[in-house]
């Protein structure tokens, strides 16, 4: 009886093999080397800046080096008028540049999005300045603004203005001249991003709007702009951060002059660290600039409702 019951007992189900954890970890193991390199090249310099911002560090005066606490930050907000002046100019520079670049970039994107003969060549010409480096852009515009061989020479030949005038040496003309030079390089950035987003707008929306009798302006206002909302917010934020940190163009074009009239906060930081060798104070200035950028970016994204309903 017991033997029959043992024979009738169904066989035990086979044990499931435990899934190996290696396949799940493989993607993380593959990206680990690149992640560690990025952490080393990004995190270490950032932490170093925070560390040196609390110290007096000048390689040319080692006897003064040591822990300074918050003295560098106190000096920034109470004793340094150049900090306030350069911060105000940086805000002016960012507002003017980003606003004009967005306006012209949007206009160019709308133009090259149309169908016309030679559109491919037109797009290449519009986007080509973005491929030029900042230093090379500065060199080009330095030659164009040269008082002996540049634009002012040809204008003087036509009876407009005087010979020997240098727009980069006059406090009344240096800012517009620098703005135009950076516009030439920055406008294609907006044109590229906005054009890419324009390609995804459904043509059915425009056709339906035409059937309803909507004008071109109403189509642009109610269809195109809402669709471009996130692209515009993202591009303006990125460009604002880049323009705030702009050093190469202004350093090569004007050197911060004349009389410090085109010195931005990052350019002031570069001069403080490289020329004056005051790395501790420059690190404190960098920390303050980082906090300002972080705060303004968060406020801008919150107010603009990035990623929300269009």
């Amino acid at each position: 009886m017991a033997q029959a019951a043992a024979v009738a007992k169904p066989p035990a189900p086979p044990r499931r093999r435990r899934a190996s954890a290696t396949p799940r970890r493989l993607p993380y193991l593959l990206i680990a080397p690149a992640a560690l390199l990025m952490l080393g090249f990004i995190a270490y310099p950032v932490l170093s800046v925070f560390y040196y911002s609390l110290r007096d560090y000048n390689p040319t005066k080692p006897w003064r080096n040591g822990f300074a606490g918050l003295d560098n930050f106190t000096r920034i907000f109470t004793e340094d008028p150049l900090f306030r002046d350069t911060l105000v100019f940086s805000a002016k520079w960012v507002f003017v540049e980003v606003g004009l670049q967005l306006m012209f970039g949007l206009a160019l994107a709308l133009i090259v999005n149309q169908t016309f003969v030679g559109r491919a060549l037109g797009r290449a010409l519009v986007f080509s300045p973005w491929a030029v480096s900042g230093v090379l852009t500065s060199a080009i515009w330095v030659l164009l603004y040269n008082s002996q061989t540049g634009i002012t020479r040809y204008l003087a030949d036509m009876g407009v203005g005087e010979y020997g005038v240098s727009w980069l040496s006059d406090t009344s003309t240096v800012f517009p001249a620098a703005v135009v030079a950076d516009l030439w390089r920055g406008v294609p950035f907006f044109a590229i991003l906005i054009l890419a987003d324009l390609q995804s707008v459904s043509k059915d929306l425009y056709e339906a709007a035409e059937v309803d009798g909507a004008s071109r302006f109403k189509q642009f206002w109610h269809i195109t702009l809402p669709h471009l909302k996130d692209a515009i917010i993202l591009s303006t934020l990125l460009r604002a951060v880049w323009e705030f940190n702009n050093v190469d163009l202004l350093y090569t074009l004007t050197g911060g002059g004349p009389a410090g009239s085109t010195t931005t906060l990052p350019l002031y930081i570069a001069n403080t660290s490289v020329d004056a060798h005051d790395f501790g104070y420059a690190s404190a200035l960098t920390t303050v600039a980082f906090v300002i950028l972080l705060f303004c970016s968060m406020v801008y994204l919150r107010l603009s409702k990035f990623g929300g309903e269009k």
Side-chain angles (χ1 to χ4, degrees):
M1 197 68 185
Q3 186 177 2
V7 172
K9 187 177 181 181
R15 291 185 179 181
R16 286 188 178 182
R17 291 185 177 181
R18 190 174 182 179
S20 176
T22 304
R24 294 198 301 269
R25 297 175 181 174
L26 183 60
Y28 302 100
L29 294 175
L30 292 175
I31 66 173
L36 291 175
L37 284 175
M38 291 182 62
L39 185 65
F41 282 105
I42 296 177
Y44 176 74
V46 171
L47 294 177
S48 296
V49 168
F50 292 154
Y51 170 75
Y52 285 110
S53 66
L54 301 175
R55 299 180 60 85
D56 288 325
Y57 182 68
N58 189 330
T60 62
K61 301 175 182 178
W63 59 88
R64 295 185 180 180
N65 295 343
F67 182 73
L70 298 178
D71 291 348
N72 288 326
F73 297 96
T74 304
R75 176 183 166 190
I76 290 174
F77 294 107
T78 61
E79 303 176 12
D80 190 355
L82 289 178
F83 168 74
R84 293 187 292 271
D85 294 342
T86 55
L87 183 60
V88 170
F89 177 76
S90 297
K92 176 184 175 182
W93 174 261
V94 170
F95 181 78
V96 173
E97 278 293 343
V98 174
L100 291 177
Q101 289 177 20
L102 173 61
M103 182 177 63
F104 288 114
L106 177 60
L108 281 176
L110 292 173
I111 291 173
V112 297
N113 190 45
Q114 304 299 316
T115 302
F116 56 89
V117 178
R119 184 175 67 171
L121 177 61
R123 288 181 176 181
L125 292 176
V126 168
F127 301 153
S128 58
W130 182 246
V132 182
S133 67
V135 175
L136 184 56
T137 299
S138 304
I140 293 172
W141 285 93
V142 165
L143 294 175
L144 289 174
Y145 289 145
N146 188 282
S147 59
Q148 303 298 323
T149 59
I151 298 173
T152 55
R153 166 67 183 274
Y154 291 100
L155 291 176
D157 291 339
M158 294 185 293
V160 180
E162 301 178 355
Y163 288 100
V165 175
S166 176
W167 291 346
L168 298 178
S169 301
D170 190 341
T171 54
S172 62
T173 58
V174 64
F175 181 73
V179 166
V180 171
D182 201 49
L183 278 178
W184 182 79
R185 183 181 64 165
V187 167
F189 170 76
F190 283 95
I192 293 170
L193 288 185
I194 294 175
L195 177 63
D197 207 27
L198 281 174
Q199 304 295 311
S200 62
V201 182
S202 176
K203 294 183 180 180
D204 295 338
L205 296 175
Y206 294 106
E207 292 175 357
E210 289 181 1
V211 172
D212 292 338
S215 62
R216 286 292 184 89
F217 177 77
K218 288 185 177 180
Q219 294 178 31
F220 170 76
W221 188 260
H222 295 287
I223 299 176
T224 307
L225 271 186
H227 186 86
L228 296 176
K229 173 190 170 185
D230 286 346
I232 291 175
I233 293 173
L234 180 61
S235 59
T236 51
L237 177 61
L238 291 176
R239 196 60 189 161
V241 172
W242 294 342
E243 288 295 345
F244 183 87
N245 292 320
N246 190 335
V247 173
D248 53 355
L249 186 137
L250 287 175
Y251 182 82
T252 310
L253 201 63
T254 67
S261 58
T262 58
T263 302
T264 59
L265 180 57
L267 186 55
Y268 176 46
I269 294 172
N271 292 334
T272 302
S273 58
V274 177
D275 296 338
H277 304 289
D278 194 349
F279 292 97
Y281 188 64
S283 298
L285 289 169
T286 304
T287 302
V288 173
F290 170 78
V291 173
I292 291 173
L293 280 178
L294 181 62
F295 175 77
C296 292
S297 299
M298 294 174 61
V299 171
Y300 178 69
L301 291 175
R302 184 65 180 269
L303 294 178
S304 61
K305 299 180 181 179
F306 178 71
E309 295 183 0
K310 298 181 180 180

